Amino acid sequence: MRMLVMFAISNKRLCLSLGPAFARLLRPILERFVASFDDPSSPHIREFWNKCVHETGGSGPYYLSGWITAFCFWDEKGNCLYRNGPIGPVTLAPFEGRRAGCELDGVLYHRVDTSNIPCGFASVPVKVVDNGDECQTIMIAGLVGIRTISTAPTPDAVDDPQTHEDTRHQVGSTQPVSGWWMYEKARY
């Protein structure tokens, strides 16, 4: 995995196909992803993870800032959310328009209005033919939920009789769950 990420960081053709601005945003993030495995307790790496996301807002729109916004480069219709890029200096103050919300290695990361965050799934129409019967369906695939990962047992042990799992755990982290499903289109 490390070699694949390092190849992606250094591959100029791949970076050009992504678009130079998007590739420029990804490079410091991917380098730190790799460094996170090499020295996870480094103050430099801890600072990186603490810059992941920040939310600001008030009675109007809410904005996300941090390096996570690099992954919100395009909206759901393919329009660039990065536009001309943010301006410095970095600030976490609300209502600062085009001011950057994060900086890594001189790269400024933009703010994203939370209503413009692209969805994490896609859908496509699919015609299913089963023994000559045709059915019009929609297939949906993408990030469909989250999974909690337990780390440490708690004192109140409960043994689930169906799964025989020990359910006395505390949540340690969450991770996205990808999946897909199909449903039949209404026949109106």
Side-chain angles (χ1 to χ4, degrees):
M1 179 62 139
R2 176 186 166 90
M3 292 300 291
L4 181 62
V5 172
M6 293 306 291
F7 171 76
I9 292 170
S10 63
N11 187 313
K12 291 189 186 332
R13 185 182 300 160
L14 178 63
C15 289
L16 288 174
S17 70
L18 292 173
F22 185 52
R24 188 170 25 87
L25 291 172
L26 290 182
R27 182 178 306 275
I29 296 168
L30 295 178
E31 288 173 349
R32 284 167 176 79
F33 281 177
V34 171
S36 292
F37 289 98
D38 295 339
D39 191 7
S41 60
S42 158
H44 180 68
I45 295 304
R46 289 183 180 269
E47 179 186 12
F48 164 70
W49 287 105
N50 285 330
K51 289 183 174 181
C52 177
V53 66
H54 183 79
E55 180 186 38
T56 58
S59 61
Y62 280 83
Y63 293 92
L64 287 186
S65 60
W67 57 258
I68 195 73
T69 63
F71 299 100
C72 298
F73 194 81
W74 297 278
D75 68 12
E76 293 176 15
K77 295 180 179 155
N79 300 314
C80 184
L81 295 174
Y82 190 69
R83 294 180 186 81
N84 297 324
I87 57 175
V90 171
T91 179
L92 297 179
F95 312 115
E96 288 294 326
R98 286 195 42 226
R99 290 260 187 233
C102 179
E103 179 268 329
L104 297 174
D105 298 343
V107 176
L108 298 175
Y109 293 84
H110 59 299
R111 294 168 182 254
V112 176
D113 184 324
T114 56
S115 66
N116 291 333
I117 295 173
C119 66
F121 67 92
S123 64
V124 63
V126 176
K127 178 170 72 171
V128 175
V129 180
D130 183 21
N131 292 323
D133 294 329
E134 290 186 10
C135 180
Q136 298 299 322
T137 67
I138 300 290
M139 176 185 283
I140 298 176
L143 301 176
V144 298
I146 58 172
R147 174 182 301 138
T148 57
I149 309 292
S150 299
T151 55
T154 57
D156 53 338
V158 177
D159 187 26
D160 187 327
Q162 291 181 331
T163 64
H164 300 290
E165 290 182 16
D166 186 355
T167 60
R168 57 184 177 148
H169 294 282
Q170 296 175 342
V171 174
S173 63
T174 60
Q175 67 184 34
V177 175
S178 59
W180 66 273
W181 63 88
M182 295 173 67
Y183 64 90
E184 185 175 1
K185 289 172 68 172
R187 299 181 191 187
Y188 298 110

